[in-house]
């Protein structure tokens, strides 16, 4: 939708899901994929991890965009003390969903807005909980086979068939589950002078 080469807003991501969410705000933007190491640091807390990665993604492209507002975002799933990233394999995706069956999983989405025009940044962490239905092995196999959620934290895509896995969702902004908390982003953009609804 509104992607233009010289837009003052930059999405530091190649995710088509984040792009689809940002399209909803009807602001012109451009995309550039950051290249960062997402390995957690020793003894790094989940909140510190998503805070650091979201800001690192924005900082990774800052030199290329010196007069822009850059959006960085990163997400992890938390379950029984474990930090869960992308499963990458069918076997791990199935194993994750089997663990989640009938349980609550917390997602933390880090969101950063780096204003390279004024050398300022804002960072927000959006929590969101999902409560899974009790899932049969056949349901898990069918879901993973159909949607192949191997690049999604938590091994599902809420914007697709993944919605059938849940008993309920609990949180302020369900867009956070897809990877971009739009309510928080709108607030950040307003503070940076880029109101999606125009001047107040």
């Amino acid at each position: 939708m509104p992607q233009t080469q010289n837009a003052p807003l930059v999405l530091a991501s190649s995710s088509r899901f984040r792009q689809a969410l940002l399209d909803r705000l009807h602001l012109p933007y451009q995309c550039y994929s950051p290249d960062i190491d997402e390995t957690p640091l020793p003894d790094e807390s989940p909140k510190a991890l998503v805070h650091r990665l979201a800001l690192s993604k924005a900082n990774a492209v800052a030199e290329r965009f010196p007069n822009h507002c850059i959006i960085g975002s990163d997400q992890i799933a938390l379950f029984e003390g474990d930090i869960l990233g992308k499963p990458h394999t069918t076997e791990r995706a199935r194993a994750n969903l089997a663990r989640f069956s009938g349980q609550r999983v917390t997602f933390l989405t880090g969101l950063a807005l780096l204003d390279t025009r004024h050398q300022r940044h804002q960072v927000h962490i959006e929590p969101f909980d999902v409560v899974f239905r009790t899932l049969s092995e056949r349901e898990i196999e069918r879901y993973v086979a159909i949607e192949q959620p191997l690049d999604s934290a938590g091994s599902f895509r809420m914007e697709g068939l993944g919605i059938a896995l849940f008993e309920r969702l609990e949180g302020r902004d369900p867009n956070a589950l897809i990877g971009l908390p739009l309510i928080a982003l709108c607030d950040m953009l307003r503070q940076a002078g880029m109101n999606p609804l125009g001047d107040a």
Side-chain angles (χ1 to χ4, degrees), residues 131-166:
V131 179
F132 281 78
R133 294 172 42 248
T134 299
L135 302 169
S136 69
E137 186 176 333
R138 184 177 176 83
E139 285 178 312
I140 290 170
E141 288 183 2
R142 178 170 166 75
Y143 172 70
V144 173
I146 290 173
E147 200 139 69
Q148 292 288 305
L150 309 186
D151 60 350
S152 299
S155 306
F156 69 84
R157 296 198 180 109
M158 198 268 302
E159 67 278 13
L161 183 58
I163 197 69
L165 301 170
F166 307 136

Side-chain angles (χ1 to χ4, degrees), residues 14-137:
S14 58
S15 165
R16 68 184 187 276
F17 303 110
R18 288 193 175 106
Q19 291 174 35
L21 287 173
L22 189 55
D23 283 347
R24 295 185 193 179
L25 300 187
H26 294 272
L27 291 171
Y29 69 92
Q30 52 193 313
C31 292
Y32 195 86
S33 183
D35 182 19
I36 67 165
D37 182 358
E38 300 187 18
T39 306
L41 300 176
D43 301 319
E44 189 172 30
S45 72
K47 286 186 177 180
L49 173 62
V50 293
H51 183 290
R52 177 176 63 83
L53 292 181
L55 189 55
S56 293
K57 287 181 177 181
N59 278 321
V61 304
E63 196 170 302
R64 182 176 288 267
F65 299 103
N67 294 293
H68 297 75
C69 282
I70 305 169
I71 301 165
S73 187
D74 196 80
Q75 184 183 74
I76 59 168
L78 293 173
F79 183 67
E80 294 181 338
D82 292 338
I83 296 176
L84 305 170
K86 299 167 184 175
H88 297 300
T89 69
T90 296
E91 293 73 21
R92 198 170 296 140
R94 287 177 181 169
N96 282 345
L97 293 175
R99 285 183 71 194
F100 299 161
S101 177
Q103 304 294 317
R104 175 188 300 271
V105 180
T106 297
F107 286 80
L108 296 178
T109 304
L111 175 68
L113 185 68
L114 173 63
D115 187 343
T116 57
R117 302 167 303 178
H118 306 108
Q119 302 306 310
R120 290 196 294 256
H121 70 265
Q122 305 171 59
V123 181
H124 172 78
I125 298 169
E126 187 78 29
F128 201 93
D129 285 359
V130 299
V131 179
F132 281 78
R133 294 172 42 248
T134 299
L135 302 169
S136 69
E137 186 176 333

